[in-house]
Amino acid sequence: MREEFSSSVKRELQIIAKHHCMICHKPTTKPRIAHIIPASKNGPRSEYRNQYTEKFIGSAENGLSLCNDCHDLVDDPDLNTYELQDLFDINNTLRSKFKLEEEYKKLLGINEQDYYIELETFYKNLIAKLNVTDEEIQLVIENHSDFKKINYIEKMDKNGFNHRQKRKIRSLYAAELFILKENLENNTIIAIKIHAAITILYKRLSETGMTQEEIYDKMAEHMYDPTDQVLGNEIILTYYFVICEVFLK
């Protein structure tokens, strides 16, 4: 008899993996859920099966959310290079990290659904202020490249930021930024749209002859949203400063 994962356990593993493969970390829209200790008595690593209960075998502690390639790799005895403990370590590390982040969100009173709604509202308010057309946004989106983390301390120096700006960016980056980053990466469409709007704002201000230092302050001013939002506009600006090419000279 096979000990299959329930739909709720599969969903839990996908959420813990943040819709990425737990091994190679590629985005996975349709992940395959693998058992570490096999569901059947003849599966891979079945020699360890009698050491574990049926309840454990069907739990999230025994699963990995993987892309097709990594799923085939760990389930093929001729290709698999992972020891049993290696696979458990991958699972344990990601589950522990997820638990810590969830506790931190609760401590800050952050709700992911609220965050998404705030991001949508922020984007709509920003493009209304900029008075940009859908065609302008789409044109920038077409030239979008994947987000990549940039050495923001080096970037601040290169742009000639003052001590106040550097202190604010460091503070925001150290505190709430990783939660915003996670939320934006899970909602790629809104992340790219906001990036397009911020890029348009940056280009417009760049044409005025202002210094990079002045442009940053002016961008924060333009992005100010007076509505009662938990999400601060400078947190969003800091995210894009750190993650993408805005402000790269």
Side-chain angles (χ1 to χ4, degrees):
M1 179 179 174
R2 287 179 61 87
E3 295 298 328
E4 299 290 1
F5 290 127
S6 66
S7 57
S8 61
V9 167
K10 290 179 180 179
R11 177 65 180 156
E12 181 182 350
L13 286 165
Q14 291 176 44
I15 292 171
I16 289 170
K18 299 176 183 175
H19 304 283
H20 285 68
C21 175
M22 284 182 163
I23 289 180
C24 72
H25 308 299
K26 289 190 302 190
T28 52
T29 54
K30 294 182 179 179
R32 293 173 66 188
I33 308 300
H35 286 75
I36 299 174
I37 300 300
S40 68
K41 293 181 179 179
N42 298 320
R45 298 169 292 280
S46 57
E47 64 270 25
Y48 301 104
R49 202 172 186 277
N50 61 1
Q51 300 175 28
Y52 296 88
T53 64
E54 292 179 358
K55 182 179 179 181
F56 177 86
I57 292 172
S59 73
E61 295 174 67
N62 186 47
L64 295 170
S65 181
L66 305 173
C67 65
N68 283 329
D69 290 342
C70 289
H71 186 281
D72 292 343
L73 175 69
V74 300
D75 272 5
D76 188 330
D78 294 326
L79 297 175
N80 180 40
T81 57
Y82 290 94
E83 298 291 338
L84 178 68
Q85 192 57 51
D86 293 336
L87 299 176
F88 276 132
D89 286 347
I90 291 169
N91 174 291
N92 291 333
T93 297
L94 288 171
R95 282 192 305 108
S96 297
K97 181 183 176 186
F98 179 79
K99 184 179 178 182
L100 283 172
E101 289 179 359
E102 288 300 297
E103 288 174 354
Y104 185 50
K105 288 176 190 175
K106 286 179 183 177
L107 186 66
L108 292 175
I110 291 171
N111 179 289
E112 287 200 0
Q113 184 60 30
D114 290 344
Y115 244 64
Y116 183 73
I117 293 169
E118 288 173 9
L119 287 169
E120 285 276 13
T121 304
F122 176 87
Y123 170 70
K124 289 174 183 175
N125 290 343
L126 181 57
I127 61 171
K129 284 182 182 180
L130 293 175
N131 192 27
V132 295
T133 64
D134 290 338
E135 288 75 18
E136 286 179 278
I137 291 289
Q138 191 57 43
L139 187 62
V140 176
I141 288 175
E142 286 173 3
N143 296 320
H144 169 77
S145 57
D146 289 339
F147 294 118
K148 58 191 176 198
K149 182 177 173 184
I150 294 165
N151 187 318
Y152 72 102
I153 295 176
E154 181 182 324
K155 199 174 174 188
M156 288 191 292
D157 291 335
K158 190 182 290 187
N159 282 279
F161 282 6
N162 59 42
H163 290 302
R164 172 186 57 80
Q165 291 169 322
K166 288 180 180 180
R167 187 167 57 250
K168 185 169 287 186
I169 289 172
R170 283 196 187 99
S171 172
L172 292 171
Y173 181 63
E176 201 173 351
L177 188 67
F178 85 93
I179 294 173
L180 171 67
K181 177 177 179 291
E182 172 191 320
N183 199 273
L184 281 167
E185 287 177 350
N186 287 338
N187 299 288
T188 311
I189 294 173
I190 190 65
I192 292 173
K193 282 182 175 179
I194 294 175
H195 168 248
I198 289 176
T199 300
I200 289 170
L201 174 58
Y202 174 74
K203 285 181 178 177
R204 286 184 185 178
L205 294 173
S206 296
E207 292 168 359
T208 64
M210 287 190 285
T211 65
Q212 297 289 89
E213 178 185 355
E214 291 168 334
I215 289 172
Y216 184 87
D217 283 338
K218 187 59 71 173
M219 286 182 77
E221 185 181 314
H222 274 281
M223 290 165 63
Y224 175 70
D225 186 352
T227 57
D228 293 330
Q229 295 190 37
V230 177
L231 191 59
N233 60 305
E234 290 198 69
I235 295 173
I236 297 178
L237 182 54
T238 301
Y239 169 82
Y240 285 96
F241 179 82
V242 172
I243 299 300
C244 70
E245 67 274 16
V246 175
F247 281 93
L248 266 187
K249 282 188 168 184

